[in-house]
Every structure is written in C-alpha cells, then in structure tokens.
Amino acid sequence: METEGNILVVEDDNAINQLLCKIAKRNNYTPQPAFSGTEAQLYFQKQEWDLVLLDLMLPGKSGEEVLGEIVEQSDVPVIIISAKNETQAKIDCLRTGAADYITKPFHIEEVSARMDSHLLRYRRSKTSSKPPHLTFKDINIDLEAKTVVVNGQLLKLTVREYAILELLVSSPKKMFSKANLFESVWQENFHGDDNTVNAHMSNLRTKLAKANPDKEYIETIWGMGYRLKN
C-alpha cells in the first residue's frame, strides 16, 4: 500500500518515540525514529521529509537548534512535541518557524489530527502550481472555490460536510476514526460523543447518494471509522 508521507520522529524517550511512530503508521505514514539532535540532522540531510515531529530536550544538539537548522534549509512543517509548557518556549519556537506546538502529555488523536492537517497543507503547497482540485470517482472538489460537483451536479454542502469530504478525498486510502475526523474538522478535542460526526456523515452521504444513486463513496469500517470506498 502506498504511504501518504515520510515523517521524521525526533524523541529521545524510546517509549514516546515508539508511540509517535505507531500513530504515524496507523495514519498510513512512514516514520523514521531519531533519538538525538545529531541523528535527526543526519536523517534530515539524507532524504526528503513531509513532516518532522520534534522534541526540544534532546541529548547533544537541542531541539531548538535542530528547528533553526530545519527552517533554514527547508519549508517542511515541524510540530514541536515537548514537556516545556511555558508560554515563552512556545512563542520562541513558533517565531523560529515551527508549524505547531503540542505539550506533553499529549492526546493521541490530537497528534493524529494535527499530523493530517499539516501534511495536507504541505502537500497542497507543493502542488500549488497544479489545478487546485481533488477528484475521486465522479467527485470533483474545487479547493479555491470550495465547491463540490458530483456526477455533474453542484452539491450544496455545509462548511463541516465540505471539510469532511475534502479530508477523506485528500487521503483516499486512509481510514479516519470518528475522533480523528472530529478533531481535524472541528479543531476541538473529541470527548467520545459520536452524534455530531454521525449526523454530519449521514447528511453528507445522503447528498452524495442523491447526486448519484449508482455509486457508493464512503464506507463504514465498524468499530474503527470511515474511508472512501474504492
């Protein structure tokens, strides 16, 4: 199965590193663990990356130093994941060029959602010279106009319905849990209430089915979540 991106995971705590790599693999990304700033620098220069997860308190070269070197060499997004929760530490990293800052202990689904969000933006930026469209079967999404045409018909979607469909079509092989969908689309922590996601997904499916009753676009993976039906 083709993966959705390469992620460099820089974290000296082996258990946390393994957890972050597991989250990346679950999201169909290819992670590469690194356990020091020096090792991270070697991996970064070795190949192209789509995202970097970076701890700050590292042996040898600090995370702040690694961040500075990465933003000088590349526009790859860097998500800081650190136990440093002081406001100034966050401000310094964001002003240096970090794309995001997550404090430990972290919520697995929040990390998952933020990875998806930044990777989606990065892929868009790399393909900005191409027509700003996403397609799947007879679905055509105009990313600039924020419109969706299915089977030649313009769909009237709510902002949330559009965001859900865009997220699914942007990663057509990926399975999205309800928590992942909620935190990616609503940008809030998921507290286990399925009703909101279920209602929006049901409305979206109804509109897709009305546009083309002969095709099924979204399938439910029971107990896990949703993905596009190929």
Side-chain angles (χ1 to χ4, degrees):
M1 180 183 291
E2 183 182 353
T3 58
E4 298 287 346
N6 296 312
I7 299 180
L8 182 58
V9 181
V10 191
E11 166 64 62
D12 64 321
D13 184 294
N14 185 59
I16 297 177
N17 197 309
Q18 287 186 19
L19 176 59
L20 292 171
C21 287
K22 184 177 180 180
I23 296 171
K25 288 177 182 177
R26 188 190 70 176
N27 285 19
N28 201 30
Y29 305 127
T30 301
Q32 171 59 59
F35 298 91
S36 71
T38 304
E39 187 181 10
Q41 185 183 41
L42 291 173
Y43 278 121
F44 191 79
Q45 294 173 348
K46 187 178 179 181
Q47 72 172 82
E48 294 292 323
W49 300 97
D50 299 294
L51 180 68
V52 178
L53 304 181
L54 179 63
D55 185 22
L56 293 180
M57 293 179 280
L58 297 168
K61 190 169 289 189
S62 71
E64 288 89 348
E65 290 178 281
V66 174
L67 173 63
E69 291 171 358
I70 288 175
V71 298
E72 285 181 4
Q73 302 169 38
S74 169
D75 59 352
V76 61
V78 179
I79 299 178
I80 302 298
I81 301 181
S82 175
K84 290 185 178 181
N85 59 8
E86 299 87 356
T87 300
Q88 192 59 49
K90 298 176 185 179
I91 291 171
D92 291 343
C93 287
L94 292 170
R95 282 184 171 163
T96 298
D100 210 338
Y101 195 111
I102 300 173
T103 55
K104 300 174 184 175
F106 52 78
H107 190 289
I108 289 175
E109 290 297 341
E110 180 183 5
V111 173
S112 175
R114 288 177 188 263
M115 285 167 57
D116 284 336
S117 177
H118 288 292
L119 277 160
L120 177 59
R121 290 195 193 104
Y122 186 55
R123 282 196 296 268
R124 281 185 191 165
S125 71
K126 290 203 299 185
T127 59
S128 58
S129 59
K130 299 178 182 179
H133 291 265
L134 290 173
T135 59
F136 176 76
K137 294 184 178 179
D138 57 0
I139 297 174
N140 188 298
I141 302 176
D142 187 321
L143 298 173
E144 286 189 348
K146 301 291 186 185
T147 57
V148 178
V149 174
V150 178
N151 194 28
Q153 301 178 45
L154 180 65
L155 260 61
K156 292 184 178 180
L157 301 180
T158 67
V159 172
R160 304 297 192 193
E161 291 164 1
Y162 172 87
I164 290 171
L165 185 61
E166 180 184 333
L167 188 63
L168 290 171
V169 175
S170 70
S171 298
K173 298 178 182 179
K174 175 177 166 55
M175 192 282 297
F176 290 88
S177 68
K178 291 180 180 179
N180 199 185
L181 277 172
F182 184 86
E183 296 193 357
S184 295
V185 172
W186 276 262
Q187 297 290 304
E188 298 175 12
N189 289 334
F190 182 72
H191 298 295
D193 182 5
D194 293 346
N195 292 336
T196 300
V197 175
N198 289 344
H200 282 78
M201 186 62 72
S202 176
N203 291 337
L204 175 59
R205 280 172 151 166
T206 298
K207 292 176 181 180
L208 290 169
K210 187 175 181 180
N212 190 343
D214 297 326
K215 290 188 185 294
E216 184 179 352
Y217 300 97
I218 302 169
E219 64 178 336
T220 300
I221 311 300
W222 294 110
M224 299 179 68
Y226 303 96
R227 71 181 174 199
L228 293 184
K229 186 175 180 62
N230 292 294

